[in-house]
């Protein structure tokens, strides 16, 4: 079994509904308790993406002559989180870049090219499927933000998972 750990223990543990009710406070750091409904995009091959190779430093500093630029993969997915008390109340939270690597790092899943790494793809699908099927409550750190700062509406708020990771639950 898996569980999510959040390093924001000093923050009040909120429901998804309470997080949504705080939309006016965005940007805001929060801790939420929710169930994972699904991960998007629906095609798990798209859960990682290749970042552009790093640009060489001044006058090629840090680049080995003749070496191809290094490609780096990162997770890029949205987790649909359901309120622990009220079904049909949910939000989508972006899981991306360093925060996503931290999230899956606790279960030994660094980001990789899922189109060519069948073993990692299978393990990642198993983790997500297990979390969805178990209906386990996850404690996650969230940052609310406004992609368009001019949009002050409730619908103008987006969420990103931060300071959270998965770990194997201790045997009982």
């Amino acid at each position: 079994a898996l569980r999510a750990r959040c390093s924001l223990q000093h923050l009040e543990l909120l429901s998804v509904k309470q997080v949504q009710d705080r939309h006016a406070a965005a940007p805001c750091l929060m801790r939420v308790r929710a169930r994972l409904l699904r991960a998007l995009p629906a095609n798990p091959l798209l859960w990682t993406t290749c970042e552009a190779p790093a640009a060489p430093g001044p006058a090629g500093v840090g680049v080995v002559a003749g070496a191809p630029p290094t490609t780096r993969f990162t997770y890029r997915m949205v987790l649909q989180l359901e309120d622990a008390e009220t079904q049909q109340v949910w939000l989508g939270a972006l899981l991306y870049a360093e925060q996503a690597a931290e999230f899956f790092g606790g279960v030994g899943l660094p980001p990789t090219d899922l189109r060519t790494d069948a073993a990692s793809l299978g393990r990642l699908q198993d983790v997500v499927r297990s979390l969805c099927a178990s209906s386990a409550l996850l404690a996650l750190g969230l940052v609310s933000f406004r992609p368009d700062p001019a949009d002050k509406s409730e619908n103008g708020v987006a969420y990103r998972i931060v300071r959270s990771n998965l770990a194997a639950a201790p045997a009982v």
Side-chain angles (χ1 to χ4, degrees):
L2 296 170
R3 64 184 175 97
R5 297 183 302 201
C6 174
S7 65
L8 301 169
Q9 297 299 315
H10 63 285
L11 296 177
E12 175 186 7
L13 192 58
L14 304 173
S15 69
V16 169
K17 177 77 172 105
Q18 289 171 313
V19 165
Q20 291 174 332
D21 288 345
R22 294 185 181 194
H23 66 89
C28 183
L29 182 62
M30 298 170 276
R31 190 167 63 117
V32 66
R33 183 181 60 208
R35 287 185 184 89
L36 178 60
L37 291 179
R38 63 183 172 159
L40 299 168
N43 181 349
L45 291 175
L46 301 176
W47 290 349
T48 61
T49 186
C50 181
E51 291 186 336
V61 172
V63 176
V64 177
T70 58
T71 55
R72 197 178 90 156
F73 284 84
T74 186
Y75 285 108
R76 183 173 59 188
M77 58 200 318
V78 173
L79 300 185
Q80 186 178 2
L81 304 174
E82 183 180 53
D83 192 278
E85 289 86 35
T86 310
Q87 288 186 343
Q88 303 304 317
V89 174
W90 58 269
L91 61 80
L94 179 64
L95 185 58
Y96 180 65
E98 294 83 20
Q99 291 86 10
E102 176 186 355
F103 186 78
F104 290 114
V107 290
L109 284 169
T112 183
D113 185 351
L114 296 175
R115 295 167 300 165
T116 61
D117 188 345
S120 289
L121 174 63
R123 287 188 55 224
L124 184 58
Q125 286 178 290
D126 288 346
V127 165
V128 171
R129 207 178 351 243
S130 171
L131 288 171
C132 291
S134 73
S135 295
L137 291 178
L138 307 175
L140 303 168
L142 285 184
V143 170
S144 63
F145 62 98
R146 294 187 180 279
D148 176 359
D151 185 352
K152 299 297 183 190
S153 73
E154 182 176 352
N155 293 332
V157 177
Y159 302 93
R160 186 168 176 168
I161 296 172
V162 297
R163 312 275 302 268
S164 304
N165 68 349
L166 291 176
V172 180

